[in-house]
PDB file of all heavy atoms in Angstrom:
ATOM      1  N   GLY A  83     -37.137  -9.429   7.368  1.00 97.00           N
ATOM      2  CA  GLY A  83     -36.987  -9.725   8.789  1.00 97.00           C
ATOM      3  C   GLY A  83     -35.679 -10.437   9.086  1.00 97.00           C
ATOM      4  O   GLY A  83     -35.041 -10.194  10.116  1.00 97.00           O
ATOM      5  N   LEU A  84     -35.261 -11.323   8.172  1.00 96.00           N
ATOM      6  CA  LEU A  84     -33.968 -11.989   8.333  1.00 96.00           C
ATOM      7  C   LEU A  84     -32.837 -10.969   8.250  1.00 96.00           C
ATOM      8  O   LEU A  84     -31.884 -11.016   9.045  1.00 96.00           O
ATOM      9  CB  LEU A  84     -33.790 -13.061   7.258  1.00 96.00           C
ATOM     10  CG  LEU A  84     -32.420 -13.736   7.195  1.00 96.00           C
ATOM     11  CD1 LEU A  84     -32.083 -14.405   8.521  1.00 96.00           C
ATOM     12  CD2 LEU A  84     -32.379 -14.741   6.050  1.00 96.00           C
ATOM     13  N   GLN A  85     -32.945 -10.048   7.323  1.00 96.00           N
ATOM     14  CA  GLN A  85     -31.925  -9.011   7.202  1.00 96.00           C
ATOM     15  C   GLN A  85     -31.917  -8.099   8.433  1.00 96.00           C
ATOM     16  O   GLN A  85     -30.857  -7.664   8.888  1.00 96.00           O
ATOM     17  CB  GLN A  85     -32.167  -8.213   5.919  1.00 96.00           C
ATOM     18  CG  GLN A  85     -31.989  -9.062   4.671  1.00 96.00           C
ATOM     19  CD  GLN A  85     -32.352  -8.338   3.396  1.00 96.00           C
ATOM     20  OE1 GLN A  85     -33.036  -7.319   3.418  1.00 96.00           O
ATOM     21  NE2 GLN A  85     -31.898  -8.859   2.264  1.00 96.00           N
ATOM     22  N   MET A  86     -33.104  -7.831   8.970  1.00 97.00           N
ATOM     23  CA  MET A  86     -33.181  -7.047  10.196  1.00 97.00           C
ATOM     24  C   MET A  86     -32.497  -7.789  11.348  1.00 97.00           C
ATOM     25  O   MET A  86     -31.788  -7.185  12.162  1.00 97.00           O
ATOM     26  CB  MET A  86     -34.638  -6.761  10.555  1.00 97.00           C
ATOM     27  CG  MET A  86     -34.817  -5.963  11.834  1.00 97.00           C
ATOM     28  SD  MET A  86     -34.219  -4.268  11.700  1.00 97.00           S
ATOM     29  CE  MET A  86     -35.607  -3.525  10.844  1.00 97.00           C
ATOM     30  N   ALA A  87     -32.716  -9.091  11.417  1.00 97.00           N
ATOM     31  CA  ALA A  87     -32.059  -9.890  12.457  1.00 97.00           C
ATOM     32  C   ALA A  87     -30.539  -9.793  12.328  1.00 97.00           C
ATOM     33  O   ALA A  87     -29.825  -9.685  13.333  1.00 97.00           O
ATOM     34  CB  ALA A  87     -32.513 -11.344  12.360  1.00 97.00           C
ATOM     35  N   GLU A  88     -30.042  -9.796  11.092  1.00 96.00           N
ATOM     36  CA  GLU A  88     -28.600  -9.671  10.882  1.00 96.00           C
ATOM     37  C   GLU A  88     -28.105  -8.294  11.320  1.00 96.00           C
ATOM     38  O   GLU A  88     -26.978  -8.161  11.817  1.00 96.00           O
ATOM     39  CB  GLU A  88     -28.273  -9.941   9.415  1.00 96.00           C
ATOM     40  CG  GLU A  88     -28.514 -11.393   9.015  1.00 96.00           C
ATOM     41  CD  GLU A  88     -28.251 -11.656   7.547  1.00 96.00           C
ATOM     42  OE1 GLU A  88     -27.697 -10.761   6.874  1.00 96.00           O
ATOM     43  OE2 GLU A  88     -28.591 -12.748   7.065  1.00 96.00           O
ATOM     44  N   ALA A  89     -28.944  -7.283  11.158  1.00 96.00           N
ATOM     45  CA  ALA A  89     -28.572  -5.951  11.649  1.00 96.00           C
ATOM     46  C   ALA A  89     -28.461  -5.964  13.169  1.00 96.00           C
ATOM     47  O   ALA A  89     -27.504  -5.431  13.742  1.00 96.00           O
ATOM     48  CB  ALA A  89     -29.604  -4.913  11.196  1.00 96.00           C
ATOM     49  N   VAL A  90     -29.429  -6.593  13.831  1.00 96.00           N
ATOM     50  CA  VAL A  90     -29.419  -6.659  15.299  1.00 96.00           C
ATOM     51  C   VAL A  90     -28.171  -7.391  15.788  1.00 96.00           C
ATOM     52  O   VAL A  90     -27.582  -7.023  16.811  1.00 96.00           O
ATOM     53  CB  VAL A  90     -30.698  -7.349  15.808  1.00 96.00           C
ATOM     54  CG1 VAL A  90     -30.613  -7.600  17.315  1.00 96.00           C
ATOM     55  CG2 VAL A  90     -31.931  -6.498  15.486  1.00 96.00           C
ATOM     56  N   LEU A  91     -27.736  -8.408  15.043  1.00 96.00           N
ATOM     57  CA  LEU A  91     -26.551  -9.163  15.452  1.00 96.00           C
ATOM     58  C   LEU A  91     -25.283  -8.317  15.460  1.00 96.00           C
ATOM     59  O   LEU A  91     -24.295  -8.681  16.101  1.00 96.00           O
ATOM     60  CB  LEU A  91     -26.360 -10.372  14.533  1.00 96.00           C
ATOM     61  CG  LEU A  91     -27.387 -11.504  14.706  1.00 96.00           C
ATOM     62  CD1 LEU A  91     -27.156 -12.597  13.674  1.00 96.00           C
ATOM     63  CD2 LEU A  91     -27.327 -12.086  16.110  1.00 96.00           C
ATOM     64  N   LYS A  92     -25.303  -7.182  14.773  1.00 94.00           N
ATOM     65  CA  LYS A  92     -24.150  -6.281  14.809  1.00 94.00           C
ATOM     66  C   LYS A  92     -23.946  -5.684  16.201  1.00 94.00           C
ATOM     67  O   LYS A  92     -22.871  -5.174  16.515  1.00 94.00           O
ATOM     68  CB  LYS A  92     -24.332  -5.152  13.790  1.00 94.00           C
ATOM     69  CG  LYS A  92     -24.310  -5.616  12.346  1.00 94.00           C
ATOM     70  CD  LYS A  92     -24.438  -4.439  11.391  1.00 94.00           C
ATOM     71  CE  LYS A  92     -24.416  -4.893   9.937  1.00 94.00           C
ATOM     72  NZ  LYS A  92     -24.469  -3.754   8.984  1.00 94.00           N
ATOM     73  N   LEU A  93     -24.989  -5.760  17.023  1.00 94.00           N
ATOM     74  CA  LEU A  93     -24.894  -5.238  18.391  1.00 94.00           C
ATOM     75  C   LEU A  93     -24.473  -6.309  19.386  1.00 94.00           C
ATOM     76  O   LEU A  93     -24.375  -6.029  20.580  1.00 94.00           O
ATOM     77  CB  LEU A  93     -26.240  -4.645  18.811  1.00 94.00           C
ATOM     78  CG  LEU A  93     -26.672  -3.384  18.055  1.00 94.00           C
ATOM     79  CD1 LEU A  93     -28.110  -3.018  18.391  1.00 94.00           C
ATOM     80  CD2 LEU A  93     -25.734  -2.221  18.367  1.00 94.00           C
ATOM     81  N   GLU A  94     -24.249  -7.515  18.893  1.00 94.00           N
ATOM     82  CA  GLU A  94     -23.862  -8.607  19.792  1.00 94.00           C
ATOM     83  C   GLU A  94     -22.554  -8.248  20.502  1.00 94.00           C
ATOM     84  O   GLU A  94     -21.585  -7.815  19.886  1.00 94.00           O
ATOM     85  CB  GLU A  94     -23.691  -9.904  19.003  1.00 94.00           C
ATOM     86  CG  GLU A  94     -23.508 -11.128  19.874  1.00 94.00           C
ATOM     87  CD  GLU A  94     -23.615 -12.423  19.091  1.00 94.00           C
ATOM     88  OE1 GLU A  94     -23.549 -12.386  17.841  1.00 94.00           O
ATOM     89  OE2 GLU A  94     -23.783 -13.481  19.721  1.00 94.00           O
ATOM     90  N   GLY A  95     -22.542  -8.439  21.795  1.00 92.00           N
ATOM     91  CA  GLY A  95     -21.378  -8.074  22.581  1.00 92.00           C
ATOM     92  C   GLY A  95     -21.416  -6.644  23.088  1.00 92.00           C
ATOM     93  O   GLY A  95     -20.592  -6.258  23.917  1.00 92.00           O
ATOM     94  N   HIS A  96     -22.352  -5.861  22.587  1.00 91.00           N
ATOM     95  CA  HIS A  96     -22.515  -4.470  23.025  1.00 91.00           C
ATOM     96  C   HIS A  96     -23.844  -4.283  23.750  1.00 91.00           C
ATOM     97  O   HIS A  96     -23.883  -3.787  24.870  1.00 91.00           O
ATOM     98  CB  HIS A  96     -22.429  -3.526  21.821  1.00 91.00           C
ATOM     99  CG  HIS A  96     -21.145  -3.601  21.076  1.00 91.00           C
ATOM    100  ND1 HIS A  96     -19.994  -2.969  21.480  1.00 91.00           N
ATOM    101  CD2 HIS A  96     -20.825  -4.258  19.923  1.00 91.00           C
ATOM    102  CE1 HIS A  96     -19.013  -3.222  20.633  1.00 91.00           C
ATOM    103  NE2 HIS A  96     -19.494  -3.998  19.674  1.00 91.00           N
ATOM    104  N   ALA A  97     -24.927  -4.659  23.080  1.00 91.00           N
ATOM    105  CA  ALA A  97     -26.245  -4.527  23.694  1.00 91.00           C
ATOM    106  C   ALA A  97     -26.488  -5.659  24.685  1.00 91.00           C
ATOM    107  O   ALA A  97     -25.870  -6.724  24.611  1.00 91.00           O
ATOM    108  CB  ALA A  97     -27.329  -4.539  22.611  1.00 91.00           C
ATOM    109  N   ALA A  98     -27.406  -5.426  25.610  1.00 88.00           N
ATOM    110  CA  ALA A  98     -27.759  -6.444  26.589  1.00 88.00           C
ATOM    111  C   ALA A  98     -28.441  -7.625  25.903  1.00 88.00           C
ATOM    112  O   ALA A  98     -29.032  -7.498  24.831  1.00 88.00           O
ATOM    113  CB  ALA A  98     -28.678  -5.850  27.652  1.00 88.00           C
TER     114      ALA A  98
END
Side-chain angles (χ1 to χ4, degrees):
L84 173 59
Q85 295 174 342
M86 179 68 80
E88 292 177 10
V90 172
L91 289 176
K92 293 182 180 183
L93 293 171
E94 189 169 15
H96 300 280

